[in-house]
Amino acid sequence: MSKEEQPAASVEDDLPEQLRIRREKRAGLIERGVEPYPVSVARTASLAEIRAKYASLETDSTTGDIQSLTGRIIFKRDTGKLCFATLREGDGTELQAMLSLDKVGQETLDSWKSDIDLGDIVSVSGEIITSKRGELSILANSYAIAAKSLRPLPNDHKPMSEETRVRMRYVDLIVRDEARANARLRPAVMRSLRETFHQQNFVEVETPMLQVMHGGAAARPFKSFSNAYDMDLYLRIAPELFLKRCVVGGIERVFEINRNFRNEGADSSHSPEFAMIESYQAYGDWRSIADLTRTLVQNAALAIAGSHVVTHHDGRKADLGGKWREISLYDAITEGVGESVTALTPLEDLKKIATKLGMKIDPKWITGKLAEEIFEHVAKDQLIAPTFVMGFPIDTSPLVRAHRELPGVAEKWDLYVDGFELATGYSELIDPVIQRDRLVEQATLGAKGDLEAMQVDEDFLRAMEFAMPPTGGMGMGVDRLLMALTGLGIRETILFPLVKPEVD
RNA sequence: GGGCCUAUAGCUCAGUCGGUAGAGCAACGGACUUUUAAUCCGUGGGUCGACGGUUCGAGCCCGUCUGGGCCCA
């Protein structure tokens, strides 16, 4: 037969052996009048409920308790007249199913052996018993297929490669305990964060993700376009300017937990989209907001670990309890480089220091930026226990008020844990005239080619001109909080991190 | 942006000196009524990431590209 005469059939024929065989089994079931994807199957209890109910059933006992249980088959042992299978449900709970010739008959036993594969989801109906080896089991009177898997599960005994885990998280969740645990850790942390906020009378709001203007942080945005309005829109890089509008409007304690988007590099601690908490507290300042931040982190640790001491996935313990260390940014630099550095140290002197340290210097860096870079170079790696780094340069902090004593310094801290920046907090700048000057400075930098510089948001300035009360504000990366609590890389804390598409 | 490692069966991985592609699990056929990484006998399964080069001959050597990981800035 020539190629032209057999067009469509080849798609199925080209499949790898194991995929082809399962498709054939599906077709075989349909042919025999068995629905491989029924609208419902019998289910009277979850596996977890049965496990809890019979936590201490003696070996080789019967209960007379007839149930219908469902689960994915992750392990199957077929013998001549008695078959075993391990069912697993979504949270990882497992239960053994047994099918014996004398209970189900030859036809059902044969179909179980030939139709049912690893990965299939089934419903088994029968009595809850324990086997002669003491395994809690359901001894089937009948079974029904709930959903036929057309793909084989990966080898259950060898871990999947990192790429496969991320690309097929659904399979990762089926086979790997830690993946299931991580997926449930995140919502537990989220719940704890919201509870802490609610305890302190903070109001949760949702502010725009699609913005006419991006602002509130130094970062490159993703750009989009609205057909209806015929204008450019940006995915937000931070919600700050909208949350401050809330404070102006009298929502005195406000927070938002939502996604930000930054069009920058991705590595083990940066993702192009990431979850962020921002919170503002009227009549607070950088110290009160630091206390709030510590409470949020410590309560989250309690929620998932039952203690302020958390255990990382590699077994390392991290103590997040107590009152955290505070260091001054410029003191840390001074100590790290062995000569006195303050916010008034000129750019040229900082350049000499950086050169001596062997750092690459970007000529676009302003004085404060260079000081921050030197700090990261000399001190960052040592900041393992939670540490507030206090007093950042004012020229890189356009939304922060000046330090009440130190010239050239802003009332801004960064919180470091495990050597990375977990959160940042300010005494917010509330003088609208100074705020305008700072944003105009930023716009000038932007005009000079700084792609991370902020724009002048006139509506935000108008809001500020209606007067915002003295306010403390903070921002914390949720993914990074999970990293600090678990020691995982950012791509493990995010269920579906961005991956480049596979090529054929 | 720079450096290093990596891509082979559904999954996890070997593959020596350049000479017809291997294992475990999984799959297929058979045996087995207490297994739990079941066991025993047998069988099939591959565009070795893509493209180009060197060579009588390339999974292996060289170049380019793509995906992934790690380190540095």
Side-chain angles (χ1 to χ4, degrees), chain A residues 17-18 25 75 77 96 131 133 157:
Chain A
E17 180 191 38
Q18 300 208 28
K25 286 189 181 182
F75 188 35
R77 287 141 268 145
Q96 178 168 269
S131 71
R133 295 288 174 86
H157 316 297

PDB file of all heavy atoms in Angstrom, chain A residues 17-18 25 75 77 96 131 133 157, chain B residues 12 26 28 35-38 44 67:
ATOM      1  N   GLU A  17       5.423   1.752  22.037  1.00  0.00           N
ATOM      2  CA  GLU A  17       4.721   0.513  22.353  1.00  0.00           C
ATOM      3  C   GLU A  17       3.755   0.633  23.537  1.00  0.00           C
ATOM      4  O   GLU A  17       2.584   0.244  23.457  1.00  0.00           O
ATOM      5  CB  GLU A  17       5.787  -0.549  22.655  1.00  0.00           C
ATOM      6  CG  GLU A  17       5.239  -1.903  23.002  1.00  0.00           C
ATOM      7  CD  GLU A  17       6.331  -2.818  23.560  1.00  0.00           C
ATOM      8  OE1 GLU A  17       7.198  -2.327  24.306  1.00  0.00           O
ATOM      9  OE2 GLU A  17       6.323  -4.009  23.233  1.00  0.00           O
ATOM     10  N   GLN A  18       4.257   1.209  24.649  1.00  0.00           N
ATOM     11  CA  GLN A  18       3.433   1.197  25.860  1.00  0.00           C
ATOM     12  C   GLN A  18       2.201   2.089  25.739  1.00  0.00           C
ATOM     13  O   GLN A  18       1.149   1.787  26.293  1.00  0.00           O
ATOM     14  CB  GLN A  18       4.273   1.629  27.061  1.00  0.00           C
ATOM     15  CG  GLN A  18       5.449   0.704  27.261  1.00  0.00           C
ATOM     16  CD  GLN A  18       5.899   0.621  28.686  1.00  0.00           C
ATOM     17  OE1 GLN A  18       5.119   0.798  29.605  1.00  0.00           O
ATOM     18  NE2 GLN A  18       7.172   0.334  28.898  1.00  0.00           N
ATOM     19  N   LYS A  25      -6.163  -1.057  24.828  1.00  0.00           N
ATOM     20  CA  LYS A  25      -6.968  -1.569  25.943  1.00  0.00           C
ATOM     21  C   LYS A  25      -8.223  -0.718  26.132  1.00  0.00           C
ATOM     22  O   LYS A  25      -9.302  -1.243  26.398  1.00  0.00           O
ATOM     23  CB  LYS A  25      -6.143  -1.563  27.241  1.00  0.00           C
ATOM     24  CG  LYS A  25      -5.089  -2.653  27.286  1.00  0.00           C
ATOM     25  CD  LYS A  25      -4.458  -2.725  28.668  1.00  0.00           C
ATOM     26  CE  LYS A  25      -3.373  -3.801  28.694  1.00  0.00           C
ATOM     27  NZ  LYS A  25      -2.769  -3.932  30.040  1.00  0.00           N
ATOM     28  N   PHE A  75       0.783   0.156  42.398  1.00  0.00           N
ATOM     29  CA  PHE A  75       1.587  -1.047  42.571  1.00  0.00           C
ATOM     30  C   PHE A  75       0.637  -2.235  42.422  1.00  0.00           C
ATOM     31  O   PHE A  75      -0.483  -2.206  42.944  1.00  0.00           O
ATOM     32  CB  PHE A  75       2.225  -0.992  43.967  1.00  0.00           C
ATOM     33  CG  PHE A  75       3.235  -2.068  44.228  1.00  0.00           C
ATOM     34  CD1 PHE A  75       4.060  -2.531  43.219  1.00  0.00           C
ATOM     35  CD2 PHE A  75       3.362  -2.610  45.493  1.00  0.00           C
ATOM     36  CE1 PHE A  75       4.994  -3.514  43.469  1.00  0.00           C
ATOM     37  CE2 PHE A  75       4.300  -3.597  45.757  1.00  0.00           C
ATOM     38  CZ  PHE A  75       5.109  -4.040  44.735  1.00  0.00           C
ATOM     39  N   ARG A  77       0.323  -6.608  42.121  1.00  0.00           N
ATOM     40  CA  ARG A  77       0.940  -7.938  42.206  1.00  0.00           C
ATOM     41  C   ARG A  77      -0.124  -8.957  41.828  1.00  0.00           C
ATOM     42  O   ARG A  77      -1.042  -9.218  42.619  1.00  0.00           O
ATOM     43  CB  ARG A  77       1.447  -8.213  43.632  1.00  0.00           C
ATOM     44  CG  ARG A  77       2.693  -7.469  44.050  1.00  0.00           C
ATOM     45  CD  ARG A  77       2.622  -7.024  45.484  1.00  0.00           C
ATOM     46  NE  ARG A  77       2.075  -5.674  45.586  1.00  0.00           N
ATOM     47  CZ  ARG A  77       1.302  -5.256  46.567  1.00  0.00           C
ATOM     48  NH1 ARG A  77       0.965  -6.041  47.534  1.00  0.00           N
ATOM     49  NH2 ARG A  77       0.835  -4.013  46.564  1.00  0.00           N
ATOM     50  N   GLN A  96      -4.411  -1.309  50.499  1.00  0.00           N
ATOM     51  CA  GLN A  96      -4.296  -2.472  49.618  1.00  0.00           C
ATOM     52  C   GLN A  96      -5.669  -2.975  49.201  1.00  0.00           C
ATOM     53  O   GLN A  96      -6.584  -3.040  50.015  1.00  0.00           O
ATOM     54  CB  GLN A  96      -3.523  -3.566  50.346  1.00  0.00           C
ATOM     55  CG  GLN A  96      -3.384  -4.852  49.543  1.00  0.00           C
ATOM     56  CD  GLN A  96      -2.378  -5.799  50.159  1.00  0.00           C
ATOM     57  OE1 GLN A  96      -1.209  -5.772  49.839  1.00  0.00           O
ATOM     58  NE2 GLN A  96      -2.845  -6.651  51.056  1.00  0.00           N
ATOM     59  N   SER A 131      -4.903  -8.626  55.879  1.00  0.00           N
ATOM     60  CA  SER A 131      -4.367  -9.816  55.222  1.00  0.00           C
ATOM     61  C   SER A 131      -3.612 -10.667  56.235  1.00  0.00           C
ATOM     62  O   SER A 131      -3.431 -10.269  57.386  1.00  0.00           O
ATOM     63  CB  SER A 131      -3.408  -9.405  54.106  1.00  0.00           C
ATOM     64  OG  SER A 131      -2.219  -8.889  54.675  1.00  0.00           O
ATOM     65  N   ARG A 133      -0.616 -11.061  56.341  1.00  0.00           N
ATOM     66  CA  ARG A 133       0.592 -10.336  56.740  1.00  0.00           C
ATOM     67  C   ARG A 133       0.244  -9.071  57.535  1.00  0.00           C
ATOM     68  O   ARG A 133       1.109  -8.271  57.834  1.00  0.00           O
ATOM     69  CB  ARG A 133       1.415  -9.946  55.503  1.00  0.00           C
ATOM     70  CG  ARG A 133       1.965 -11.134  54.742  1.00  0.00           C
ATOM     71  CD  ARG A 133       3.110 -11.792  55.530  1.00  0.00           C
ATOM     72  NE  ARG A 133       3.557 -13.013  54.903  1.00  0.00           N
ATOM     73  CZ  ARG A 133       4.476 -13.061  53.934  1.00  0.00           C
ATOM     74  NH1 ARG A 133       5.042 -11.964  53.516  1.00  0.00           N
ATOM     75  NH2 ARG A 133       4.830 -14.207  53.397  1.00  0.00           N
ATOM     76  N   HIS A 157      10.414   3.729  42.065  1.00  0.00           N
ATOM     77  CA  HIS A 157      11.498   3.547  43.031  1.00  0.00           C
ATOM     78  C   HIS A 157      12.692   4.443  42.762  1.00  0.00           C
ATOM     79  O   HIS A 157      13.601   4.533  43.565  1.00  0.00           O
ATOM     80  CB  HIS A 157      11.935   2.089  43.042  1.00  0.00           C
ATOM     81  CG  HIS A 157      10.770   1.147  43.030  1.00  0.00           C
ATOM     82  ND1 HIS A 157       9.857   1.114  44.069  1.00  0.00           N
ATOM     83  CD2 HIS A 157      10.328   0.283  42.101  1.00  0.00           C
ATOM     84  CE1 HIS A 157       8.921   0.215  43.767  1.00  0.00           C
ATOM     85  NE2 HIS A 157       9.181  -0.291  42.581  1.00  0.00           N
TER      86      HIS A 157
ATOM     87  P     U B  12      13.287  10.167  34.014  1.00  0.00           P
ATOM     88  OP1   U B  12      13.245  11.452  34.724  1.00  0.00           O
ATOM     89  OP2   U B  12      13.683  10.122  32.584  1.00  0.00           O
ATOM     90  O5'   U B  12      14.245   9.175  34.807  1.00  0.00           O
ATOM     91  C5'   U B  12      14.165   9.112  36.225  1.00  0.00           C
ATOM     92  C4'   U B  12      15.147   8.089  36.736  1.00  0.00           C
ATOM     93  O4'   U B  12      14.778   6.777  36.257  1.00  0.00           O
ATOM     94  C3'   U B  12      16.575   8.260  36.242  1.00  0.00           C
ATOM     95  O3'   U B  12      17.259   9.265  36.966  1.00  0.00           O
ATOM     96  C2'   U B  12      17.138   6.864  36.467  1.00  0.00           C
ATOM     97  O2'   U B  12      17.438   6.645  37.824  1.00  0.00           O
ATOM     98  C1'   U B  12      15.946   5.983  36.085  1.00  0.00           C
ATOM     99  N1    U B  12      16.009   5.524  34.679  1.00  0.00           N
ATOM    100  C2    U B  12      16.722   4.368  34.426  1.00  0.00           C
ATOM    101  O2    U B  12      17.283   3.733  35.295  1.00  0.00           O
ATOM    102  N3    U B  12      16.760   3.982  33.113  1.00  0.00           N
ATOM    103  C4    U B  12      16.166   4.630  32.051  1.00  0.00           C
ATOM    104  O4    U B  12      16.282   4.160  30.926  1.00  0.00           O
ATOM    105  C5    U B  12      15.455   5.825  32.382  1.00  0.00           C
ATOM    106  C6    U B  12      15.400   6.221  33.659  1.00  0.00           C
ATOM    107  P     A B  26       7.933  -3.960  37.535  1.00  0.00           P
ATOM    108  OP1   A B  26       6.821  -4.124  38.495  1.00  0.00           O
ATOM    109  OP2   A B  26       8.546  -5.157  36.923  1.00  0.00           O
ATOM    110  O5'   A B  26       7.462  -3.004  36.333  1.00  0.00           O
ATOM    111  C5'   A B  26       6.704  -1.842  36.601  1.00  0.00           C
ATOM    112  C4'   A B  26       6.438  -1.093  35.300  1.00  0.00           C
ATOM    113  O4'   A B  26       7.696  -0.703  34.691  1.00  0.00           O
ATOM    114  C3'   A B  26       5.740  -1.908  34.224  1.00  0.00           C
ATOM    115  O3'   A B  26       4.344  -1.973  34.414  1.00  0.00           O
ATOM    116  C2'   A B  26       6.131  -1.130  32.978  1.00  0.00           C
ATOM    117  O2'   A B  26       5.396   0.074  32.867  1.00  0.00           O
ATOM    118  C1'   A B  26       7.592  -0.790  33.287  1.00  0.00           C
ATOM    119  N9    A B  26       8.475  -1.874  32.812  1.00  0.00           N
ATOM    120  C8    A B  26       9.095  -2.841  33.543  1.00  0.00           C
ATOM    121  N7    A B  26       9.801  -3.683  32.818  1.00  0.00           N
ATOM    122  C5    A B  26       9.626  -3.239  31.529  1.00  0.00           C
ATOM    123  C6    A B  26      10.107  -3.700  30.291  1.00  0.00           C
ATOM    124  N6    A B  26      10.895  -4.761  30.165  1.00  0.00           N
ATOM    125  N1    A B  26       9.736  -3.034  29.182  1.00  0.00           N
ATOM    126  C2    A B  26       8.935  -1.968  29.300  1.00  0.00           C
ATOM    127  N3    A B  26       8.415  -1.427  30.418  1.00  0.00           N
ATOM    128  C4    A B  26       8.812  -2.117  31.499  1.00  0.00           C
ATOM    129  P     C B  28       0.794  -5.371  29.662  1.00  0.00           P
ATOM    130  OP1   C B  28      -0.608  -5.002  29.390  1.00  0.00           O
ATOM    131  OP2   C B  28       1.176  -5.923  30.974  1.00  0.00           O
ATOM    132  O5'   C B  28       1.292  -6.372  28.540  1.00  0.00           O
ATOM    133  C5'   C B  28       1.023  -6.123  27.173  1.00  0.00           C
ATOM    134  C4'   C B  28       1.683  -7.178  26.324  1.00  0.00           C
ATOM    135  O4'   C B  28       3.124  -7.045  26.422  1.00  0.00           O
ATOM    136  C3'   C B  28       1.425  -8.618  26.747  1.00  0.00           C
ATOM    137  O3'   C B  28       0.162  -9.089  26.309  1.00  0.00           O
ATOM    138  C2'   C B  28       2.592  -9.342  26.092  1.00  0.00           C
ATOM    139  O2'   C B  28       2.392  -9.486  24.700  1.00  0.00           O
ATOM    140  C1'   C B  28       3.724  -8.331  26.312  1.00  0.00           C
ATOM    141  N1    C B  28       4.469  -8.611  27.562  1.00  0.00           N
ATOM    142  C2    C B  28       5.462  -9.606  27.523  1.00  0.00           C
ATOM    143  O2    C B  28       5.654 -10.224  26.469  1.00  0.00           O
ATOM    144  N3    C B  28       6.166  -9.882  28.642  1.00  0.00           N
ATOM    145  C4    C B  28       5.918  -9.198  29.767  1.00  0.00           C
ATOM    146  N4    C B  28       6.651  -9.488  30.843  1.00  0.00           N
ATOM    147  C5    C B  28       4.916  -8.182  29.833  1.00  0.00           C
ATOM    148  C6    C B  28       4.220  -7.923  28.714  1.00  0.00           C
ATOM    149  P     U B  35       3.404 -13.867  51.336  1.00  0.00           P
ATOM    150  OP1   U B  35       3.765 -15.223  50.916  1.00  0.00           O
ATOM    151  OP2   U B  35       3.900 -13.324  52.610  1.00  0.00           O
ATOM    152  O5'   U B  35       3.812 -12.836  50.199  1.00  0.00           O
ATOM    153  C5'   U B  35       3.886 -13.229  48.834  1.00  0.00           C
ATOM    154  C4'   U B  35       3.461 -12.070  47.968  1.00  0.00           C
ATOM    155  O4'   U B  35       2.044 -11.820  48.157  1.00  0.00           O
ATOM    156  C3'   U B  35       4.122 -10.746  48.333  1.00  0.00           C
ATOM    157  O3'   U B  35       5.403 -10.631  47.769  1.00  0.00           O
ATOM    158  C2'   U B  35       3.136  -9.742  47.751  1.00  0.00           C
ATOM    159  O2'   U B  35       3.294  -9.623  46.359  1.00  0.00           O
ATOM    160  C1'   U B  35       1.797 -10.435  48.022  1.00  0.00           C
ATOM    161  N1    U B  35       1.151  -9.944  49.255  1.00  0.00           N
ATOM    162  C2    U B  35       0.536  -8.702  49.192  1.00  0.00           C
ATOM    163  O2    U B  35       0.536  -8.028  48.186  1.00  0.00           O
ATOM    164  N3    U B  35      -0.060  -8.289  50.347  1.00  0.00           N
ATOM    165  C4    U B  35      -0.111  -8.971  51.538  1.00  0.00           C
ATOM    166  O4    U B  35      -0.687  -8.467  52.483  1.00  0.00           O
ATOM    167  C5    U B  35       0.541 -10.247  51.516  1.00  0.00           C
ATOM    168  C6    U B  35       1.130 -10.675  50.404  1.00  0.00           C
ATOM    169  P     U B  36       6.575  -9.886  48.600  1.00  0.00           P
ATOM    170  OP1   U B  36       7.757  -9.904  47.732  1.00  0.00           O
ATOM    171  OP2   U B  36       6.638 -10.454  49.958  1.00  0.00           O
ATOM    172  O5'   U B  36       6.057  -8.384  48.744  1.00  0.00           O
ATOM    173  C5'   U B  36       6.069  -7.500  47.620  1.00  0.00           C
ATOM    174  C4'   U B  36       5.371  -6.217  47.989  1.00  0.00           C
ATOM    175  O4'   U B  36       4.064  -6.506  48.509  1.00  0.00           O
ATOM    176  C3'   U B  36       6.038  -5.418  49.098  1.00  0.00           C
ATOM    177  O3'   U B  36       7.017  -4.590  48.516  1.00  0.00           O
ATOM    178  C2'   U B  36       4.888  -4.613  49.683  1.00  0.00           C
ATOM    179  O2'   U B  36       4.644  -3.427  48.953  1.00  0.00           O
ATOM    180  C1'   U B  36       3.695  -5.545  49.467  1.00  0.00           C
ATOM    181  N1    U B  36       3.274  -6.245  50.691  1.00  0.00           N
ATOM    182  C2    U B  36       2.386  -5.571  51.518  1.00  0.00           C
ATOM    183  O2    U B  36       1.952  -4.467  51.289  1.00  0.00           O
ATOM    184  N3    U B  36       2.023  -6.264  52.646  1.00  0.00           N
ATOM    185  C4    U B  36       2.451  -7.520  53.006  1.00  0.00           C
ATOM    186  O4    U B  36       2.038  -8.014  54.049  1.00  0.00           O
ATOM    187  C5    U B  36       3.368  -8.136  52.094  1.00  0.00           C
ATOM    188  C6    U B  36       3.743  -7.495  50.995  1.00  0.00           C
ATOM    189  P     A B  37       8.339  -4.107  49.205  1.00  0.00           P
ATOM    190  OP1   A B  37       9.290  -5.207  49.547  1.00  0.00           O
ATOM    191  OP2   A B  37       7.862  -3.230  50.260  1.00  0.00           O
ATOM    192  O5'   A B  37       8.985  -3.221  48.040  1.00  0.00           O
ATOM    193  C5'   A B  37       8.158  -2.363  47.266  1.00  0.00           C
ATOM    194  C4'   A B  37       8.402  -2.551  45.784  1.00  0.00           C
ATOM    195  O4'   A B  37       9.662  -1.942  45.410  1.00  0.00           O
ATOM    196  C3'   A B  37       8.476  -3.998  45.306  1.00  0.00           C
ATOM    197  O3'   A B  37       7.924  -4.081  43.991  1.00  0.00           O
ATOM    198  C2'   A B  37       9.968  -4.247  45.191  1.00  0.00           C
ATOM    199  O2'   A B  37      10.309  -5.252  44.270  1.00  0.00           O
ATOM    200  C1'   A B  37      10.428  -2.893  44.695  1.00  0.00           C
ATOM    201  N9    A B  37      11.831  -2.596  44.919  1.00  0.00           N
ATOM    202  C8    A B  37      12.598  -2.868  46.005  1.00  0.00           C
ATOM    203  N7    A B  37      13.832  -2.446  45.886  1.00  0.00           N
ATOM    204  C5    A B  37      13.874  -1.872  44.641  1.00  0.00           C
ATOM    205  C6    A B  37      14.895  -1.262  43.921  1.00  0.00           C
ATOM    206  N6    A B  37      16.111  -1.112  44.384  1.00  0.00           N
ATOM    207  N1    A B  37      14.603  -0.798  42.692  1.00  0.00           N
ATOM    208  C2    A B  37      13.359  -0.950  42.232  1.00  0.00           C
ATOM    209  N3    A B  37      12.309  -1.507  42.825  1.00  0.00           N
ATOM    210  C4    A B  37      12.640  -1.951  44.028  1.00  0.00           C
ATOM    211  P     A B  38       6.552  -4.773  43.802  1.00  0.00           P
ATOM    212  OP1   A B  38       6.227  -4.884  42.372  1.00  0.00           O
ATOM    213  OP2   A B  38       5.645  -4.079  44.709  1.00  0.00           O
ATOM    214  O5'   A B  38       6.744  -6.253  44.385  1.00  0.00           O
ATOM    215  C5'   A B  38       7.226  -7.270  43.551  1.00  0.00           C
ATOM    216  C4'   A B  38       7.480  -8.481  44.398  1.00  0.00           C
ATOM    217  O4'   A B  38       6.213  -9.087  44.779  1.00  0.00           O
ATOM    218  C3'   A B  38       8.223  -9.598  43.693  1.00  0.00           C
ATOM    219  O3'   A B  38       9.613  -9.364  43.679  1.00  0.00           O
ATOM    220  C2'   A B  38       7.834 -10.803  44.551  1.00  0.00           C
ATOM    221  O2'   A B  38       8.529 -10.813  45.777  1.00  0.00           O
ATOM    222  C1'   A B  38       6.363 -10.489  44.825  1.00  0.00           C
ATOM    223  N9    A B  38       5.473 -11.072  43.821  1.00  0.00           N
ATOM    224  C8    A B  38       4.799 -10.446  42.813  1.00  0.00           C
ATOM    225  N7    A B  38       4.083 -11.244  42.076  1.00  0.00           N
ATOM    226  C5    A B  38       4.297 -12.489  42.624  1.00  0.00           C
ATOM    227  C6    A B  38       3.819 -13.764  42.297  1.00  0.00           C
ATOM    228  N6    A B  38       2.984 -14.000  41.297  1.00  0.00           N
ATOM    229  N1    A B  38       4.241 -14.806  43.055  1.00  0.00           N
ATOM    230  C2    A B  38       5.085 -14.564  44.068  1.00  0.00           C
ATOM    231  N3    A B  38       5.600 -13.414  44.476  1.00  0.00           N
ATOM    232  C4    A B  38       5.160 -12.400  43.709  1.00  0.00           C
ATOM    233  P     G B  44      12.483 -11.192  20.905  1.00  0.00           P
ATOM    234  OP1   G B  44      12.869 -11.529  19.518  1.00  0.00           O
ATOM    235  OP2   G B  44      13.520 -11.026  21.951  1.00  0.00           O
ATOM    236  O5'   G B  44      11.610  -9.851  20.890  1.00  0.00           O
ATOM    237  C5'   G B  44      10.667  -9.608  19.851  1.00  0.00           C
ATOM    238  C4'   G B  44       9.746  -8.499  20.258  1.00  0.00           C
ATOM    239  O4'   G B  44       9.359  -8.676  21.640  1.00  0.00           O
ATOM    240  C3'   G B  44      10.335  -7.093  20.222  1.00  0.00           C
ATOM    241  O3'   G B  44      10.267  -6.525  18.929  1.00  0.00           O
ATOM    242  C2'   G B  44       9.437  -6.337  21.205  1.00  0.00           C
ATOM    243  O2'   G B  44       8.209  -5.999  20.599  1.00  0.00           O
ATOM    244  C1'   G B  44       9.180  -7.415  22.252  1.00  0.00           C
ATOM    245  N9    G B  44      10.088  -7.294  23.412  1.00  0.00           N
ATOM    246  C8    G B  44      11.111  -8.130  23.777  1.00  0.00           C
ATOM    247  N7    G B  44      11.709  -7.754  24.886  1.00  0.00           N
ATOM    248  C5    G B  44      11.034  -6.596  25.251  1.00  0.00           C
ATOM    249  C6    G B  44      11.227  -5.732  26.358  1.00  0.00           C
ATOM    250  O6    G B  44      12.048  -5.825  27.271  1.00  0.00           O
ATOM    251  N1    G B  44      10.334  -4.669  26.345  1.00  0.00           N
ATOM    252  C2    G B  44       9.378  -4.470  25.381  1.00  0.00           C
ATOM    253  N2    G B  44       8.614  -3.386  25.534  1.00  0.00           N
ATOM    254  N3    G B  44       9.175  -5.263  24.345  1.00  0.00           N
ATOM    255  C4    G B  44      10.042  -6.297  24.355  1.00  0.00           C
ATOM    256  P     G B  67      16.417  26.988  24.344  1.00  0.00           P
ATOM    257  OP1   G B  67      15.314  27.937  24.558  1.00  0.00           O
ATOM    258  OP2   G B  67      17.815  27.405  24.587  1.00  0.00           O
ATOM    259  O5'   G B  67      16.145  25.677  25.189  1.00  0.00           O
ATOM    260  C5'   G B  67      14.871  25.050  25.117  1.00  0.00           C
ATOM    261  C4'   G B  67      14.911  23.726  25.826  1.00  0.00           C
ATOM    262  O4'   G B  67      15.876  22.848  25.194  1.00  0.00           O
ATOM    263  C3'   G B  67      15.386  23.770  27.268  1.00  0.00           C
ATOM    264  O3'   G B  67      14.391  24.245  28.157  1.00  0.00           O
ATOM    265  C2'   G B  67      15.750  22.311  27.499  1.00  0.00           C
ATOM    266  O2'   G B  67      14.588  21.524  27.650  1.00  0.00           O
ATOM    267  C1'   G B  67      16.415  21.965  26.169  1.00  0.00           C
ATOM    268  N9    G B  67      17.866  22.151  26.249  1.00  0.00           N
ATOM    269  C8    G B  67      18.623  23.158  25.709  1.00  0.00           C
ATOM    270  N7    G B  67      19.909  23.034  25.970  1.00  0.00           N
ATOM    271  C5    G B  67      19.992  21.881  26.733  1.00  0.00           C
ATOM    272  C6    G B  67      21.110  21.232  27.308  1.00  0.00           C
ATOM    273  O6    G B  67      22.299  21.552  27.262  1.00  0.00           O
ATOM    274  N1    G B  67      20.737  20.084  28.002  1.00  0.00           N
ATOM    275  C2    G B  67      19.457  19.616  28.126  1.00  0.00           C
ATOM    276  N2    G B  67      19.300  18.505  28.836  1.00  0.00           N
ATOM    277  N3    G B  67      18.402  20.208  27.585  1.00  0.00           N
ATOM    278  C4    G B  67      18.737  21.322  26.911  1.00  0.00           C
TER     279        G B  67
END
